[in-house]
């Protein structure tokens, strides 16, 4: 759920039979909401990652007592004792000892137990899931399979003292093809995962485990595009070189925050004027007063020359695959409102969120 908490994005997933993973008490509160509104089938599994604060642990127990299949993942010794009397199934998270080429695979991270710690814990009441999360946007499929290899070894070791362990949760990490370059396919990777587990289980003499994956980015990113209108063109000449800026009616720094934070690249395409004879190198900037409010990507993008627009026509551009993470990271620098949100589903078009007004934004700051 942390990848995209919007109702219009979550509901279709659970109707399609997806299970859910939460990372905080408030994300689990959304599950409670769905449950109270009867939009939630009690057979859907809810995996709870993230630090179990008292509020989070309390809600986990509450929903479990109401009949939901809520599975907390134990991430620390503190949680091990906190959840020792939990009546439902639990999982445990291992911090794998491998290096992947992902921005999010840190040398020292605060999540889970080391492989040695896990192996020495011994019996854990109601343990059914071994979980790991090796990184996000893993562009090399070998990183995903080598994590699986190490994960499976720990699975087998853990199973000796926990015979009811029957599921391996391989976390997130399936990459999004943001740049529309060559990448592995979901079919080939799933095939490799399943056949690896089938073969290794046979060799190890264990029942092949159920598999959970939490490929949030992969599912959510392609579900949204962000549309901007170019409202100003400006050529800046520093004496040696000239750069042409297109200023858009929104903010990269606020609403596509990863371009600022981690230099995320997206595919940028024109929406109109697509067959313009002349393309040009342009740099994209947002509306805030911040010199960091720009699309960093590869620097410039190639967009149509606006001289070819009809009288009174504006240039629109789309940033593809923006459905993962950007909404929850969004900010309100310069009190700029976030873009409105339009949901297109099964031929229906609905406004899910209007652009915020000055009153709504002012209220956030006590006005
Ligand atoms: C962030 C996160 C995910 C989602 O990762 P993606 O790279 O978006 O697929 C899955 N599981 C855990 C535990 C996470 O923290």
């Amino acid at each position: 759920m942390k990848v995209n908490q919007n109702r219009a994005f979550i509901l279709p997933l659970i109707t399609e039979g997806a299970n859910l993973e939460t990372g905080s008490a408030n994300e689990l509160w959304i599950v409670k909401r769905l449950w109270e509104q009867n939009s939630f089938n009690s057979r859907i599994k809810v995996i709870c990652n993230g630090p179990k604060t008292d509020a989070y642990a309390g809600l986990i127990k509450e929903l479990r007592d109401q009949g939901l299949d809520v599975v907390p993942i134990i991430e620390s010794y503190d949680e091990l004792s906190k959840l020792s009397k939990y009546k439902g199934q639990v999982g445990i998270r291992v911090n794998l000892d491998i290096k992947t080429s992902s921005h999010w695979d840190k040398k020292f991270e605060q999540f889970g137990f080391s492989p040695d710690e896990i192996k020495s814990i011994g019996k854990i009441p109601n343990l059914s899931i071994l979980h790991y999360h090796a990184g996000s946007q893993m562009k090399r499929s070998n990183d995903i399979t080598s994590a699986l290899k190490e994960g499976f070894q720990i699975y087998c070791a853990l199973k000796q003292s926990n015979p009811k362990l029957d599921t391996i949760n391989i976390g997130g990490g399936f990459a999004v093809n943001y740049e529309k370059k060559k990448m592995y396919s979901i079919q080939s990777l799933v095939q490799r995962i399943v056949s690896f587990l089938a073969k290794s289980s046979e060799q190890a003499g264990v029942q092949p485990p159920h598999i959970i994956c939490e490929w949030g980015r992969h599912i959510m990113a392609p579900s949204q595009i962000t549309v901007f209108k170019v409202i100003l063109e400006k050529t800046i000449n520093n004496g040696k070189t000239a750069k042409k800026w297109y200023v858009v009616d929104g903010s990269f720094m606020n609403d596509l925050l990863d371009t600022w934070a981690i230099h995320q690249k997206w595919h940028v395409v024109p929406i109109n004027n697509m067959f313009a004879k002349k393309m040009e190198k342009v740099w994209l900037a947002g509306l805030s007063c911040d010199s960091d409010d720009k699309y960093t990507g590869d620097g410039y993008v190639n967009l149509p020359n606006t001289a070819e627009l009809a009288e009174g026509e504006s240039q629109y551009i789309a940033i593809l695959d923006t459905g993962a993470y950007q909404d929850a990271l969004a900010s309100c620098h310069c009190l700029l409102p976030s873009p409105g949100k339009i949901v297109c589903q099964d031929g229906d078009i609905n406004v899910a969120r209007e652009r915020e007004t000055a009153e709504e934004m002012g209220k956030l700051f006590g006005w």
Side-chain angles (χ1 to χ4, degrees):
M1 294 200 61
K2 77 161 190 261
V3 183
N4 191 325
Q5 297 99 346
N6 284 289
R7 188 178 158 82
F9 291 66
I10 297 289
L11 282 182
L13 281 177
I14 58 174
T15 344
E16 294 285 335
N19 300 285
L20 290 177
E21 183 251 346
T22 64
S24 70
N26 286 355
E27 284 177 358
L28 189 58
W29 173 85
I30 294 178
V31 173
K32 180 177 164 169
R33 249 300 173 71
L34 288 166
W35 174 250
E36 287 168 353
Q37 294 168 349
N38 297 320
S39 338
F40 204 80
N41 186 313
S42 60
R43 278 166 54 203
I44 295 177
K45 218 182 246 312
V46 184
I47 307 282
C48 299
N49 282 302
K52 313 303 175 297
T53 58
D54 290 345
Y56 197 8
L59 196 51
I60 289 172
K61 284 187 186 146
E62 181 188 325
L63 292 178
R64 149 81 206 166
D65 290 344
Q66 290 177 16
L68 245 65
D69 189 4
V70 186
V71 187
I73 305 288
I74 296 167
E75 302 210 26
S76 63
Y77 289 108
D78 173 59
E79 290 180 11
L80 195 58
S81 60
K82 224 181 206 168
L83 291 161
S84 64
K85 301 227 165 51
Y86 185 67
K87 294 201 194 70
Q89 299 177 342
V90 301
I92 193 161
R93 175 160 173 175
V94 61
N95 183 5
L96 295 179
D97 199 10
I98 57 154
K99 178 86 198 88
T100 68
S101 63
S102 152
H103 166 82
W104 291 271
D105 181 21
K106 305 282 174 8
K107 196 155 185 220
F108 293 99
E109 53 173 51
Q110 65 270 50
F111 310 109
F113 296 89
S114 74
D116 287 342
E117 282 175 323
I118 286 248
K119 287 176 196 160
S120 64
I121 289 175
K123 173 122 192 74
I124 300 159
N126 298 334
L127 183 71
S128 72
I129 300 179
L130 173 70
H131 175 50
Y132 63 81
H133 174 71
S136 194
Q137 187 63 9
M138 291 196 268
K139 289 197 196 143
R140 297 194 319 221
S141 61
N142 280 353
D143 283 348
I144 299 179
T145 47
S146 40
L148 180 67
K149 276 181 197 147
E150 178 168 333
F152 184 70
Q153 276 180 5
I154 296 161
Y155 176 86
C156 290
L158 206 56
K159 200 167 165 64
Q160 289 177 350
S161 37
N162 298 277
K164 291 219 172 107
L165 178 69
D166 65 0
T167 302
I168 187 161
N169 177 341
I170 67 172
F174 194 104
V176 173
N177 196 354
Y178 289 114
E179 296 172 64
K180 309 298 169 204
K181 291 184 177 155
K182 202 165 155 32
M183 213 194 86
Y184 54 88
S185 74
I186 190 145
Q187 288 83 359
S188 68
L189 186 68
V190 167
Q191 177 91 42
R192 278 174 73 187
I193 291 171
V194 173
S195 59
F196 169 80
L197 286 175
K199 209 161 89 201
S200 324
S201 301
E202 198 182 328
Q203 283 164 1
V206 298
Q207 186 78 6
H210 299 301
I211 308 163
I212 294 179
C213 61
E214 303 174 336
W215 292 336
R217 181 190 293 275
H218 175 74
I219 293 169
M220 287 302 193
S223 61
Q224 177 174 287
I225 64 175
T226 300
V227 176
F228 288 129
K229 178 162 107 176
V230 176
I231 56 169
L232 177 71
E233 287 176 40
K234 219 174 163 187
T235 301
I236 308 290
N237 199 323
N238 74 354
K240 292 196 197 89
T241 49
K243 266 190 187 181
K244 183 164 187 182
W245 287 92
Y246 280 2
V247 181
V248 302
D249 63 341
S251 164
F252 291 95
M253 199 174 177
N254 282 357
D255 293 298
L256 295 175
L257 191 133
D258 272 343
T259 188
W260 177 56
I262 54 169
H263 290 196
Q264 171 73 55
K265 290 178 189 175
W266 283 282
H267 205 62
V268 182
V269 294
I271 292 183
N272 57 333
N273 198 18
M274 286 163 117
F275 303 108
K277 289 192 197 73
K278 231 175 121 203
M279 301 291 278
E280 56 186 345
K281 285 182 184 173
V282 295
W283 281 258
L284 296 171
L287 278 186
S288 83
C289 64
D290 207 302
S291 57
D292 276 337
D293 193 352
K294 59 188 178 184
Y295 175 59
T296 54
D298 283 314
Y300 66 85
V301 289
N302 280 307
L303 284 172
N305 185 315
T306 51
E308 295 181 45
L309 288 170
E311 178 75 27
E313 188 186 1
S314 302
Q315 179 69 52
Y316 288 86
I317 60 170
I319 322 281
L320 307 188
D321 302 315
T322 59
Y325 297 107
Q326 305 316 301
D327 268 25
L329 292 175
S331 54
C332 32
H333 198 13
C334 291
L335 282 200
L336 294 171
S338 291
K341 194 173 284 289
I342 295 167
V343 174
C344 311
Q345 191 181 7
D346 300 333
D348 287 336
I349 299 179
N350 290 300
V351 177
R353 179 182 74 199
E354 304 252 3
R355 229 174 233 239
E356 296 132 309
T357 61
E359 279 81 9
E360 284 162 340
M361 300 220 56
K363 213 170 155 191
L364 297 173
F365 294 84
W367 294 100

